[in-house]
Amino acid sequence: MAASTITATGSSLFGKKCDLGRLISSSSTSFVAHRCRKHSLNKILSVMAPSRSPQRSLSASGSVKHAMTMTEKILARASERSHLEPGENVWVNVDVLMTHDVCGPGTIGIFKREFGENAKVWDREKIVIIPDHYIFTSDERANRNVDILRDFCMEQNIKYFYDIKDIGNFKANPDYKGVCHVALAQEGHCRPGEVLLGTDSHTCTAGAFGQFSSGIGNTDAGFVMGAGKLLLKVPPTLRFTLDGEMPSYLLAKDLILQIIGEITVAGARYKSMEFLGSTVESLSMEERMTLCNMVVEAGGKNGVVPADKTTFKYLEDKTSVEYQPVYSDENARFIQDYKFDVSKLEPLVAKPHSPDNRGLARECRDVKIDRVYIGSCTGGKTEDFMAAAKVFLASGKKVKAPTFLVPATQKVWMDLYGLPVPGSGGKTCSQIFEEAGCDTPTSPSCGACLGGPRDTYARMNEPQVCVSTTNRNFPGRMGHKEGQIYLASPYTAAASALTGFVTDPREFLQ
């Protein structure tokens, strides 16, 4: 894989002047990060990661053996323990439980079966219920699921239920938000140092806020709904250091596709993935959410980014709940270190039919496509659409492939019509999309990311080839089982729409 650089480090570098166990402390973030970069990038290996985890002996000093990673610290607080080790099973107190229309009815059913028909939830203000998956459809069973959520929330007086009653006009539903993982952030439910569990595998998105956030099944969620806690195994942690100036043609989607391609879809199985480095520090919150969103595609239990001034600024007008960020100790044990020089990376795609089937966008230039899809919790945020609009604006051309636009939330939809795109002379995303010949932005939801009922907007009902900003490209994921999905960044998706082939965005971006 050309222009891809990685350093994987093990025990041999521990104890040198720049201890690679050193991460971020609340008092010396910038100093530590800078010092580590100076010494750790002097040896770049090939793209192959080592085949076995490094071994490291603990120091005889009393402090080192109690050092913990961010994930270990969060779970220690939540389990009222002073110290945790990977592999331990502990009862964890949950700060927020989220469910949606697909898994919510099952979760509610288990809760009632195990706790009683007249049981009350453990805390009506810590449960967030968000209809978002199968919303804008005539499918009666899908509609019934939302009705079940509504009845339960009325019965339990759930404070945070983002309801939708009029599916013919989403704007007539002021409480309706859209995609749960983006709505959780926008509505202030994501906070550093907390534990957030949800009945969706991409709940790991919230790790961008420096919290433990992971997907769980309906049975576990039903138990949490009644007890407010869950038995969890403490995961070991992989550390990913991304340094270097981010090229103007790359986005966080390229970074996570690079990582997944490196370690494979099983490379982080039941492990925490911690992201840091100068590149990560430069990312916006929405880009950090993209990075953490796809850790589950690598098998990860959770992903996490240390909270910093970017995090705190984002949360200023979103929550009044006090929170306490935590950071990995300088001697915390990581079972593997990965280092990337981001300045040398190129735009990527994940070819069918796996997120780790990594390829350079420029090497797929002969792949003719039938459609482009921009949306989902991964690629349907405001900044994702801004990025796509930037490519369309730079080209001044019309798309050659049908281009479907699915905003993640109501707020994103409003941003498309209200926020000017930088360098456009005041034009909004919606105006640029219209000039480029894209479909009109549709109602906010998960849309066709996971297929859904046959009448779901932009669902692949034929065996077509699609470039998508979503997160999975398994057979049948977006509808037709013979469809072919190329996962890509909004830059690459927009560039591909303009040519009708998988296209490197550098053809339009300088």
Side-chain angles (χ1 to χ4, degrees), residues 255-333:
L255 304 185
I256 193 61
L257 289 180
Q258 170 70 19
I259 290 171
I260 296 171
E262 203 69 56
I263 68 175
T264 78
V265 291
R269 185 179 297 154
Y270 209 93
K271 297 178 178 67
S272 175
M273 297 173 67
E274 186 167 327
F275 302 100
L276 70 157
S278 61
T279 306
V280 177
E281 293 167 9
S282 72
L283 296 179
S284 67
M285 284 311 304
E286 289 195 356
E287 284 284 82
R288 295 178 189 188
M289 289 167 66
T290 300
L291 196 63
C292 288
N293 173 270
M294 288 188 67
V295 303
V296 70
E297 273 70 51
K301 180 64 174 176
N302 71 301
V304 67
V305 174
D308 59 13
K309 61 182 180 181
T310 300
T311 319
F312 307 143
K313 180 67 176 177
Y314 182 93
L315 292 173
E316 277 183 1
D317 62 347
K318 293 181 174 61
T319 183
S320 59
V321 177
E322 292 186 6
Y323 55 83
Q324 185 174 359
V326 299
Y327 305 90
S328 292
D329 292 324
E330 63 179 50
N331 294 314
R333 182 177 183 274

Side-chain angles (χ1 to χ4, degrees), residues 206-468:
F209 291 84
Q211 66 182 130
F212 179 86
S213 188
S214 188
I216 58 175
N218 292 2
T219 303
D220 284 345
F223 183 82
V224 174
M225 193 171 274
K229 60 180 62 179
L230 187 65
L231 186 65
L232 290 175
K233 183 170 73 172
V234 180
T237 300
L238 300 171
R239 180 170 54 180
F240 298 84
T241 304
L242 288 74
D243 280 312
E245 184 177 355
M246 187 90 150
S248 61
Y249 44 80
L250 291 185
L251 292 169
K253 183 66 169 290
D254 297 293
L255 304 185
I256 193 61
L257 289 180
Q258 170 70 19
I259 290 171
I260 296 171
E262 203 69 56
I263 68 175
T264 78
V265 291
R269 185 179 297 154
Y270 209 93
K271 297 178 178 67
S272 175
M273 297 173 67
E274 186 167 327
F275 302 100
L276 70 157
S278 61
T279 306
V280 177
E281 293 167 9
S282 72
L283 296 179
S284 67
M285 284 311 304
E286 289 195 356
E287 284 284 82
R288 295 178 189 188
M289 289 167 66
T290 300
L291 196 63
C292 288
N293 173 270
M294 288 188 67
V295 303
V296 70
E297 273 70 51
K301 180 64 174 176
N302 71 301
V304 67
V305 174
D308 59 13
K309 61 182 180 181
T310 300
T311 319
F312 307 143
K313 180 67 176 177
Y314 182 93
L315 292 173
E316 277 183 1
D317 62 347
K318 293 181 174 61
T319 183
S320 59
V321 177
E322 292 186 6
Y323 55 83
Q324 185 174 359
V326 299
Y327 305 90
S328 292
D329 292 324
E330 63 179 50
N331 294 314
R333 182 177 183 274
F334 299 91
I335 60 170
Q336 190 67 65
D337 277 282
Y338 293 88
K339 290 185 174 294
F340 295 87
D341 182 351
V342 173
S343 67
K344 292 181 171 58
L345 300 182
E346 297 185 60
L348 297 171
V349 295
K351 298 176 287 186
H353 294 285
S354 179
D356 63 1
N357 191 13
R358 180 182 61 188
L360 293 175
R362 61 179 173 82
E363 293 180 346
C364 299
R365 65 171 70 92
D366 294 329
V367 177
K368 189 177 187 307
I369 66 172
D370 300 301
R371 52 162 52 199
V372 168
Y373 185 96
I374 301 176
S376 84
C377 54
T378 317
K381 304 178 292 298
T382 297
E383 291 178 12
D384 297 316
F385 286 103
M386 285 283 186
K390 179 180 177 181
V391 175
F392 292 137
L393 186 68
S395 74
K397 301 177 180 179
K398 288 189 175 293
V399 298
K400 294 183 178 180
T403 303
F404 303 101
L405 311 170
V406 187
T409 65
Q410 279 225 52
K411 183 183 183 306
V412 175
W413 189 92
M414 290 188 290
D415 287 345
L416 300 192
Y417 284 87
L419 293 182
V421 176
S424 68
K427 291 182 179 179
T428 64
C429 282
S430 62
Q431 291 173 309
I432 293 171
F433 294 150
E434 183 178 3
E435 291 173 0
C438 301
D439 256 34
T440 302
T442 192
S443 304
S445 75
C446 294
C449 173
L450 71 166
R454 192 171 179 83
D455 62 350
T456 299
Y457 174 79
R459 185 184 191 273
M460 291 176 66
N461 291 323
E462 298 177 1
Q464 297 179 317
V465 179
C466 178
V467 172
S468 178

